[in-house]
Amino acid sequence: STWGDFTPMDNDDDGHVGFSWERVTESAWSKLEENEEGLLQSAKIIEEEFEERRRDLHDAAWSDKTVRRGIIRRLFVVLDMSASLDSTDHKPTRHAVVLRYMEDFIRAFFDQNPLSHLGIIVTRERQGILVTELSGSPEVHIAKMREACGKIGSEPSLQNALDVARVALTNLPRFGSREVLVIFSSLTTCDPGNLLADIGRARDAGIHISAIGFGAAVRVLAYAAETTHGRYAVALNTDHFRSLLMGHTTPSAVVAGDKLTTTLVRMGFPLVSEASGAALCACHQRVTVRGFDCPDCGSRICSLPSDCVTCGLMLVAPPHLARSYHHLFPVPRWERVEGDSGPCHSCREPGATLRCPRCECLFCWDCDAFVHESMHVCPGCESAGVVASASYPEAPSASSAR
C-alpha cells in the first residue's frame, strides 16, 4: 500500500486524539474552502484553532470570576537533560523542542509577569545543577540555558532537583508565590532517598510543583502536582507541549491552604541617570554610562525590574506595576455571534463574529487574540467607560479605609 492508503485513527472512548506519529498526512489542498467571493481559504481550520485556543485561555486564566492571584512569582524551572531527550517522537528531537520553546516561555513569562523572578535547574547524571539564580533578566537565563543544556547525560534525579529548588525558595518572603515547573522526559528517576518525603516538605513550605511529561504519565509527578496544588499533563505532540508550557505564564489562582501573607511591599521607582557620567554598577560590577540609581541608597543598577543588591529594595518602573494587574482583572471571554454581524470595532474589517458581553461591541478573531494575549484591555469597554464599573471591584470609602 502507499502512504495515501492510510486512514485516520478514530478517537477512543476517552477522547484520545492520538500522538504525533499517529497522524495521517493530508494534502494541503484538501483543507481549502471556497468563500462567498470565490477565493480559496482555510477558514474552517483557522476557526477550529481559535476555538481550541479560547478554551485553553478559559481553563488557564480568563475566567469570568474574580479570583485571587499572586502577581509576584518566584518560579524555578527544572529541565530533564537525560538521554530520553534523544527520542524523535517530537521532531526533530525532544531536546530541540524543549530548548526552542523554553526560550519562548522565558520571554513570555517576563512579559506577562514583569515583577516576577525565574531560575533554571538542570538534572542529569543523578544530580540537580543550579544553572541560574532567581532573577528578572530573560537574556541571562536564555544564554545560561543554552550553555548548560548543550549536552545530555544519564538518568535524572527528581529528588536532587527539587531539593535545590526548595532550599532556594524556603527563605523567600511569604508575599510571593513559590513555584516549581518540572519538564520531565524520562520515565524513571534515580534518587538517593525518599522522594515522597521531599514532596511533603515542599508542600509544607508552600511550594507548588507542576510538571509536563513526555511519552507516558509518571505516577510520582502526578502525586507531586496533586499534593502541592500544581498541574500535571503529558504532551501528546509538539503543539500540545507548547500550549501546556505557555499556560504556565499565567499565575495560578490562590487556593485554600496556601501560605501567602498579605503585606505592604516597598518598591522604588528609579529614574534614568545619564548626566552623572560613568559609574560602576552594583549588580555586575561593570562600568556603565546609562543606568538606574536606587532612590534609597543611590547604587547604580543596569536594568529594571530588579532588586537593589545593596539595600534589597525592589526597583521597578510604573509600566511594570501596571502590567502586572491584568491577571487579576482579565478581559472577559467574548461570545460568538452567528451570521453576518458587521465590521470589527477595532480594525474595522468586515466579518466580526465575536461580541464582548460588557460593551456589546463586535470583534474579529485576530483582534480577539491580540486583546486577550497582548493588550489585556477591551477597546470597546475603554471607549464606552464600562471597565471600572463592570470589571474592577468598588473602591473602599475614606471612612472604611484604615
Side-chain angles (χ1 to χ4, degrees), residues 203-396:
R203 177 200 57 207
D204 297 337
I207 299 174
H208 298 272
I209 301 176
S210 299
I212 300 176
F214 290 89
V218 179
R219 173 55 187 165
V220 69
L221 293 177
Y223 173 80
E226 180 182 357
T227 303
T228 62
H229 304 291
R231 290 177 287 173
Y232 176 52
V234 179
L236 300 178
N237 48 56
T238 303
D239 295 336
H240 189 214
F241 171 73
R242 183 183 184 279
S243 176
L244 293 174
L245 185 61
M246 290 302 172
H248 289 276
T249 58
T250 302
S252 57
V254 177
V255 298
D258 283 355
K259 299 182 179 181
L260 293 179
T261 59
T262 303
T263 181
L264 296 177
V265 181
R266 294 183 69 247
M267 294 184 179
F269 300 90
L271 300 177
V272 180
S273 58
E274 293 180 343
S276 59
L280 190 69
C281 75
C283 47
H284 301 97
Q285 299 299 315
R286 295 181 301 192
V287 177
T288 59
V289 178
R290 182 179 183 274
F292 304 90
D293 291 341
C294 175
D296 223 8
C297 64
S299 300
R300 174 74 57 94
I301 301 297
C302 294
S303 61
L304 298 178
S306 63
D307 295 336
C308 179
V309 297
T310 303
C311 63
L313 181 65
M314 182 181 295
L315 304 178
V316 299
H320 295 148
L321 192 60
R323 273 169 38 208
S324 300
Y325 278 91
H326 71 264
H327 295 301
L328 304 180
F329 310 106
V331 180
R333 290 179 296 127
W334 292 344
E335 303 168 349
R336 183 170 179 176
V337 179
E338 299 294 338
D340 188 9
S341 51
C344 175
H345 179 79
S346 295
C347 63
R348 310 308 300 175
E349 290 291 332
T353 57
L354 299 173
R355 175 185 287 121
C356 176
R358 293 176 183 164
C359 62
E360 300 295 329
C361 293
L362 300 174
F363 297 92
C364 63
W365 288 101
D366 292 335
C367 291
D368 173 51
F370 177 71
V371 168
H372 284 90
E373 295 179 355
S374 301
M375 190 174 179
H376 305 294
V377 174
C378 175
C381 294
E382 285 291 315
S383 60
V386 299
V387 174
S389 60
S391 175
Y392 293 86
E394 184 179 355

Side-chain angles (χ1 to χ4, degrees), residues 3 29 50 56 91 115 122 136 140 168 202 246 258 271 294 298 312 339 341:
W3 181 263
W29 54 86
F50 271 113
D56 293 340
K91 302 300 181 182
L115 302 182
V122 168
V140 172
M246 290 302 172
D258 283 355
L271 300 177
C294 175
S341 51

Side-chain angles (χ1 to χ4, degrees), residues 81 122-127 129 148-149 151 153-156:
M81 286 291 121
V122 168
T123 173
R124 61 169 173 254
E125 306 288 348
R126 307 175 188 87
Q127 297 177 348
I129 306 170
C149 300
K151 63 177 181 178
S154 60
E155 290 184 343

Side-chain angles (χ1 to χ4, degrees), residues 64-299:
D64 294 335
K65 298 180 180 179
T66 301
V67 296
R68 183 184 176 190
R69 300 181 186 275
I71 62 175
I72 301 179
R73 306 172 62 188
R74 302 293 185 261
L75 172 67
F76 268 110
V77 181
V78 177
L79 298 177
D80 173 14
M81 286 291 121
S82 63
S84 60
L85 285 180
D86 283 333
S87 177
T88 58
D89 53 348
H90 294 253
K91 302 300 181 182
T93 61
R94 292 182 184 178
H95 182 256
V97 169
V98 168
L99 293 185
R100 180 170 75 246
Y101 289 133
M102 268 300 300
E103 294 185 11
D104 297 340
F105 170 78
I106 292 174
R107 293 190 174 94
F109 177 84
F110 287 109
D111 179 70
Q112 301 293 324
N113 308 271
L115 302 182
S116 301
H117 287 177
L118 181 143
I120 299 177
I121 299 173
V122 168
T123 173
R124 61 169 173 254
E125 306 288 348
R126 307 175 188 87
Q127 297 177 348
I129 306 170
L130 181 63
V131 177
T132 58
E133 299 277 357
L134 289 172
S135 65
S137 177
E139 299 305 324
V140 172
H141 290 303
I142 292 175
K144 293 291 186 179
M145 183 187 66
R146 290 174 178 172
E147 180 182 352
C149 300
K151 63 177 181 178
I152 297 176
S154 60
E155 290 184 343
S157 175
L158 182 60
Q159 182 183 14
N160 289 332
L162 292 180
D163 279 343
V164 174
R166 181 177 55 83
V167 171
L169 292 172
T170 300
N171 296 325
L172 295 179
R174 286 288 187 181
F175 59 79
S177 65
R178 306 171 179 180
E179 305 173 46
V180 176
L181 173 60
V182 181
I183 301 178
F184 213 70
S185 173
S186 177
L187 299 181
T188 60
T189 173
C190 185
D191 301 319
N194 188 350
L195 177 57
L196 300 183
D198 277 24
I199 294 174
R201 284 190 283 268
R203 177 200 57 207
D204 297 337
I207 299 174
H208 298 272
I209 301 176
S210 299
I212 300 176
F214 290 89
V218 179
R219 173 55 187 165
V220 69
L221 293 177
Y223 173 80
E226 180 182 357
T227 303
T228 62
H229 304 291
R231 290 177 287 173
Y232 176 52
V234 179
L236 300 178
N237 48 56
T238 303
D239 295 336
H240 189 214
F241 171 73
R242 183 183 184 279
S243 176
L244 293 174
L245 185 61
M246 290 302 172
H248 289 276
T249 58
T250 302
S252 57
V254 177
V255 298
D258 283 355
K259 299 182 179 181
L260 293 179
T261 59
T262 303
T263 181
L264 296 177
V265 181
R266 294 183 69 247
M267 294 184 179
F269 300 90
L271 300 177
V272 180
S273 58
E274 293 180 343
S276 59
L280 190 69
C281 75
C283 47
H284 301 97
Q285 299 299 315
R286 295 181 301 192
V287 177
T288 59
V289 178
R290 182 179 183 274
F292 304 90
D293 291 341
C294 175
D296 223 8
C297 64
S299 300

